[in-house]
Amino acid sequence: QSVLTQPPSTSATPGQRVTISCSGSSSNIGRNTVSWYQHFPGTAPKLLIYTNDQRPSGVPDRFSGSKSGTSASLAISGLQSEDETDYFCAAWDDSLNGVVFGGGTKLTVL
Amino acid sequence: QVQLQQWGAGLLKPSETLSLTCTVYGGSFSAYYWSWIRQPPGKGLEWIGEINHSRSINYSPSLQSRVTMSVDTSKKQFSLKLKSVTAADTGVYYCARISYSGGSLVSLDSWGQGTQVTVSS
């Protein structure tokens, strides 16, 4: 059971916009920033979003992040077939004194 | 462009010690914390702990009694040892670079490729 809660899966068609939620508590998302990662199985996860809504250089602006209260969201607009993979969120947890993760969301591009 | 390359034994017997090492290519070694994360089969990611160049360490409370992390700054390497492994320690283990700002976590901005570790008799 992951500390941060994500939907196990979601799907959308090419060109659409999809959002993935990440729900936490006052000890993690409520007090700290959220980052998002794209993970193709068997490869190194890739940072997509940091500090809730900032994109590293090289990440397309189709990817955006937001945070409100104890929840955060990753939005992908103009969905492409190559976006089909796993996505997970992360944050620091003040109670556990460590990094906590979401369980991951598998995105299917129909 | 920083790259993390990790290696270590992938098949262990119960009660043995898991040992993994990660080498950092490019970028600063002293400006970051260095972390280990694992993912059991079919489950989410679990943070194991972190260490920096001056050996400031923070372990996950759930693994603290079995974990040892170390660094070799001359080689830009950091290592993980997990003793007395059981089948529950089976999973993919990742090394990662952690970026902090003002004492707050920013991101895990670079990751190793992962190492499959299986514990089986």
Side-chain angles (χ1 to χ4, degrees):
Chain A
Q1 190 82 356
S2 298
V3 174
L4 304 180
T5 301
Q6 297 180 235
S9 63
T10 189
S11 63
T13 57
Q16 281 191 322
R17 182 177 185 271
V18 66
T19 61
I20 298 172
S21 62
C22 175
S23 177
S25 68
S26 59
S27 64
N28 41 66
I29 295 178
R31 295 180 190 172
N32 300 297
T33 63
V34 178
S35 52
W36 288 91
Y37 304 83
Q38 180 186 56
H39 187 203
F40 291 93
T43 70
K46 173 187 175 183
L47 174 67
L48 287 179
I49 299 288
Y50 65 96
T51 316
N52 303 326
D53 57 8
Q54 300 299 302
R55 278 188 311 277
S57 60
V59 173
D61 59 7
R62 302 188 296 106
F63 295 90
S64 62
S66 63
K67 178 186 126 172
S68 178
T70 59
S71 293
S73 292
L74 172 71
I76 310 173
S77 60
L79 202 60
Q80 300 177 2
S81 58
E82 53 260 41
D83 298 330
E84 180 169 297
T85 191
D86 300 324
Y87 296 84
F88 64 89
C89 55
W92 185 265
D93 191 294
D94 290 341
S95 296
L96 298 175
N97 195 36
V99 182
V100 293
F101 297 95
T105 299
K106 181 175 179 57
L107 170 63
T108 299
V109 180
L110 300 170
Chain B
Q1 181 80 354
V2 63
Q3 288 190 336
L4 278 63
Q5 186 169 355
Q6 59 183 101
W7 73 91
L11 182 59
L12 298 170
K13 290 182 168 51
S15 80
E16 291 185 335
T17 295
L18 178 157
S19 182
L20 298 174
T21 297
C22 188
T23 300
V24 179
Y25 296 95
S28 168
F29 191 77
S30 61
Y32 298 90
Y33 270 76
W34 305 94
S35 182
W36 291 96
I37 301 104
R38 70 180 184 179
Q39 184 168 29
K43 297 185 178 181
L45 293 159
E46 178 183 19
W47 183 73
I48 301 171
E50 61 184 1
I51 187 170
N52 72 358
H53 71 288
S54 61
R55 297 171 177 79
S56 176
I57 289 173
N58 186 20
Y59 295 145
S60 166
S62 64
L63 295 169
Q64 187 168 5
S65 63
R66 298 193 292 131
V67 172
T68 301
M69 292 184 185
S70 59
V71 294
D72 184 335
T73 56
S74 65
K75 297 180 180 178
K76 297 181 73 173
Q77 291 179 344
F78 60 105
S79 299
L80 167 71
K81 290 189 185 299
L82 180 66
K83 66 181 181 181
S84 305
V85 297
T86 70
D89 295 310
T90 293
V92 179
Y93 285 71
Y94 296 94
C95 59
R97 185 175 82 172
I98 293 190
S99 176
Y100 286 93
S101 178
S104 298
L105 172 71
V106 174
S107 67
L108 293 83
D109 59 10
S110 294
W111 295 64
Q113 77 277 14
T115 299
Q116 173 65 49
V117 174
T118 302
V119 180
S120 174
S121 57

